[in-house]
Amino acid sequence: MLTAIYERLDRCSSLPTLPSVAVRILELCQQDQLDLTEIAQVIGRDPALATKLLRTANSPMFALRREATSILHAVNLLGVSAVRTMVLSFSLAQECGTGGKAGLATYWRRSLLSAVAARELRNQGPVKAEEAFLAALLQDIGMLALSRTLGREYDKLMAESKGDHDRLVELERKAYGADHAAVGEWLLGRWRVPSTLASVVGASHDPSLLDGRGDPETRRLATVVAVAARFADLFCLNAQKGAERLHQELARQPDLNVDVSAVQSVLLDQAPSLAPMFDVHLEPSEMAAILEQAQEIQVALSMRAALEVQSIHESLARLESRTAALLVEAQRDPLTGVANRGYTDNYLQDLFPAARSSGRRIGIIFADIDRFKTINDTHGHAAGDSVLRSVAQEIGRSVRAGDFVGRYGGEEFVVIVRAEAIQEVMTVAERIRSNISERPLAGGIGIALSVTASLGCALLDTMRHREPADLMADADRALYRAKREGRNRVSASVNEQPELSRT
């Protein structure tokens, strides 16, 4: 059966081919003397491709310090490797498309999300960003080859899989004796792309296929691609199934130290702006909702796994009951539903060393409800409790996907964010302040109260902050400064500039 499939592929006149512009760019990039002007001219001959390249160069994916204003400028700013990857990616998407097939629309959606995730994951090993992006984008290229060759026969398989990638692989192996990863490796060999890339595509469903062959970097790249695909599955399956498969894949790759929240944040930040280049639509609000649900499931899955290690002889029912109890009692504040102080301290203790060593900076926001004692004294403690719940909800509505919210005690909340500059931290804090102050908050049945909050911000500085307590202390001092200066405002640590201030 396998031989028969390859014979059919060989005879297919409509088999996907490497677009001519991509072939020419690959040739130019392999020359000893690079001519950036000629590379830019070749790209410029395809207006659609040139437009996509410029839009991507100026997107959050590359975060350039200055805007690329021409193709030549983009080539100089991005580098040849990045340009080659983008040209190959966009020209393939432009050449192959979906043909109106729902299964191939899912293909491009999953491929794009995998590519963005892989570009972030490559930080976990000696893998180049553009190699990771391209390998993940092409991992399912065999689906295009099978669709072109087998037509309706393959369309039925895609329809039967109902968008479940793993189910599709099972159906392919049963029907043809091989899956689309093997076909993709064959196709890339036909295109004469580097053998490393073809090998990674062939092993994308099972990186262990490269055990004992290939260099460590190739095996590492295959692992990155496999994990990236599971991040994509969060948005291609239901949240429960997607989170479970991601959890299982990460458990199979213990050497890959993955910051799940960081990868999810990058997906939310970068994928929607790249989606139109591949004729895919990604709605940021829908993605954020999916990630929020997936994060809750991932916490439960991680705790369940830990409990299984501690007590292997416990029954599944007892494990699930205990996990649920721990999730409520050990992590959540029962009044507001956000993380409690103990879990917040533990979270920061775990996050802090990694942030210091990796250079991925984090920020702290302390938020304190202004004149909360007056609310309790005037309207009663039940009203005060209702205000606390309302403030927690407004904070949750104001932060970004991946940010952490906890109640630190009394009327004080803490937010932990990933940011590279104090201005980013303060922007989040100002959004929280504004959302709390701009609408009346529920103080109980029939009671609406005007509430304000003061906020203090600090950004991790590896020279100043040796321990989490040092960073927290700076944010706390900024909070009290905001209180002294009139309340209902955002203030930063005195060591940080610029500062937002609201009256």
Side-chain angles (χ1 to χ4, degrees):
M1 179 64 76
L2 183 58
T3 302
I5 284 296
Y6 285 137
E7 288 176 352
R8 292 176 70 178
L9 288 165
D10 251 335
R11 293 196 303 268
C12 179
S13 60
S14 60
L15 197 67
T17 58
L18 204 58
S20 58
V21 65
V23 172
R24 182 54 182 155
I25 291 298
L26 288 175
E27 291 173 350
L28 291 173
C29 291
Q30 291 170 358
Q31 293 179 0
D32 293 334
Q33 298 291 330
L34 289 175
D35 188 337
L36 301 186
T37 300
E38 186 174 357
I39 291 174
Q41 288 173 346
V42 171
I43 296 170
R45 291 175 194 142
D46 186 331
L49 178 62
T51 300
K52 290 180 178 180
L53 182 64
L54 271 179
R55 286 177 59 186
T56 305
N58 294 315
S59 74
M61 179 175 172
F62 290 103
L64 297 177
R65 298 192 179 197
R66 50 183 176 150
E67 181 181 7
T69 56
S70 67
I71 296 300
L72 181 58
H73 194 195
V75 172
N76 278 285
L77 290 175
L78 298 181
V80 171
S81 178
V83 169
R84 179 181 57 193
T85 295
M86 294 303 105
V87 168
L88 183 55
S89 302
F90 297 148
S91 58
L92 274 174
Q94 185 174 308
E95 180 80 14
C96 299
T98 65
K101 297 181 179 181
L104 293 184
T106 302
Y107 158 80
W108 283 114
R109 177 187 179 94
R110 187 175 189 268
S111 297
L112 170 61
L113 290 165
S114 296
V116 174
R119 196 172 187 274
E120 174 68 13
L121 283 167
R122 58 89 192 182
N123 292 321
Q124 304 301 331
V127 176
K128 295 179 180 178
E130 311 317 328
E131 286 182 354
F133 184 94
L134 186 57
L137 188 76
L138 295 179
Q139 64 178 305
D140 295 325
I141 194 72
M143 289 177 62
L144 295 181
L146 289 170
S147 179
R148 292 280 184 91
T149 303
L150 305 179
R152 292 182 180 178
E153 177 185 338
Y154 190 67
D155 292 346
K156 290 180 181 179
L157 253 63
M158 288 194 291
E160 187 177 345
S161 71
K162 297 180 180 179
D164 186 326
H165 192 83
D166 289 15
R167 175 62 177 155
L168 178 62
V169 171
E170 291 176 6
L171 293 170
E172 290 170 346
R173 290 171 178 171
K174 183 178 179 180
Y176 311 125
D179 59 32
H180 62 261
V183 173
E185 182 175 10
W186 174 88
L187 180 62
L188 293 183
R190 184 187 178 104
W191 287 353
R192 297 182 181 178
V193 302
S195 59
T196 295
L197 181 59
S199 297
V200 169
V201 168
S204 58
H205 294 151
D206 183 7
S208 67
L209 293 174
L210 293 179
D211 290 349
R213 67 186 183 96
D215 53 59
E217 288 79 9
T218 301
R219 294 195 295 273
R220 189 74 165 184
L221 178 56
T223 301
V224 164
V225 169
V227 174
R230 293 311 185 189
F231 277 96
D233 281 340
L234 291 173
F235 305 93
C236 300
L237 301 169
N238 64 64
Q240 180 71 40
K241 187 179 289 187
E244 288 174 352
R245 290 187 181 175
L246 174 59
H247 180 78
Q248 291 164 2
E249 189 66 46
L250 292 175
R252 284 194 289 266
Q253 311 296 346
D255 295 335
L256 200 65
N257 184 25
V258 178
D259 187 335
V260 174
S261 294
V263 177
Q264 291 175 339
S265 294
V266 167
L267 281 169
L268 186 60
D269 184 48
Q270 297 182 8
S273 62
L274 286 176
M277 321 297 186
F278 297 87
D279 291 326
V280 172
H281 177 71
L282 294 172
E283 178 57 50
S285 61
E286 293 178 5
M287 290 181 66
I290 291 170
L291 288 179
E292 182 178 357
Q293 187 178 0
Q295 286 166 354
E296 293 175 0
I297 296 169
Q298 287 159 9
V299 170
L301 290 170
S302 297
M303 293 194 68
R304 183 185 302 171
L307 290 171
E308 287 172 352
V309 171
Q310 292 174 3
S311 185
I312 192 71
H313 301 293
E314 288 184 291
S315 67
L316 180 60
R318 186 177 175 187
L319 277 173
E320 289 176 346
S321 175
R322 189 177 175 192
T323 300
L326 285 172
L327 282 171
V328 174
E329 297 172 11
Q331 296 184 0
R332 297 295 173 187
D333 171 53
L335 177 62
T336 63
V338 299
N340 61 25
R341 177 165 181 168
Y343 184 67
T344 299
D345 284 337
N346 289 337
Y347 179 85
L348 186 57
Q349 286 286 350
D350 291 341
L351 182 65
F352 192 83
R356 275 181 53 86
S357 61
S358 68
R360 296 184 65 85
R361 303 178 79 182
I362 58 174
I364 298 289
I365 301 170
F366 268 129
D368 188 89
I369 301 173
D370 295 330
R371 297 183 174 90
F372 185 69
K373 184 176 183 300
T374 302
I375 295 174
N376 279 332
D377 291 345
T378 303
H379 301 281
H381 287 280
D385 289 348
S386 182
V387 167
L388 286 169
R389 285 191 291 268
S390 297
V391 168
Q393 290 170 0
E394 291 298 330
I395 293 175
R397 194 169 63 84
S398 304
V399 298
R400 307 164 301 182
D403 291 342
F404 179 95
V405 181
R407 183 183 176 193
Y408 213 62
E411 64 271 26
E412 192 170 56
F413 295 84
V414 64
V415 180
I416 303 172
V417 302
R418 299 181 186 277
E420 294 301 318
I422 190 62
Q423 187 64 52
E424 293 180 56
V425 185
M426 297 183 75
T427 297
V428 175
E430 173 58 22
R431 189 161 57 244
I432 293 170
R433 185 206 66 79
S434 176
N435 285 342
I436 291 172
S437 66
E438 288 182 355
R439 61 178 62 83
L441 301 185
I445 299 176
I447 301 174
L449 301 174
S450 295
V451 178
T452 64
S454 301
L455 301 96
C457 308
L459 182 71
L460 173 62
D461 182 335
T462 55
M463 298 300 293
R464 281 179 43 78
H465 304 131
R466 301 291 181 179
E467 301 291 339
D470 300 332
L471 179 58
M472 297 285 273
D474 269 0
D476 198 39
R477 281 190 286 270
L479 167 63
Y480 280 98
R481 187 157 140 250
K483 291 282 190 183
R484 289 195 306 270
E485 292 180 355
R487 298 183 176 86
N488 190 23
R489 64 187 61 222
V490 173
S491 181
S493 166
V494 293
N495 300 287
E496 300 283 1
Q497 292 294 330
E499 177 183 338
L500 286 172
S501 181
R502 301 285 186 192
T503 57

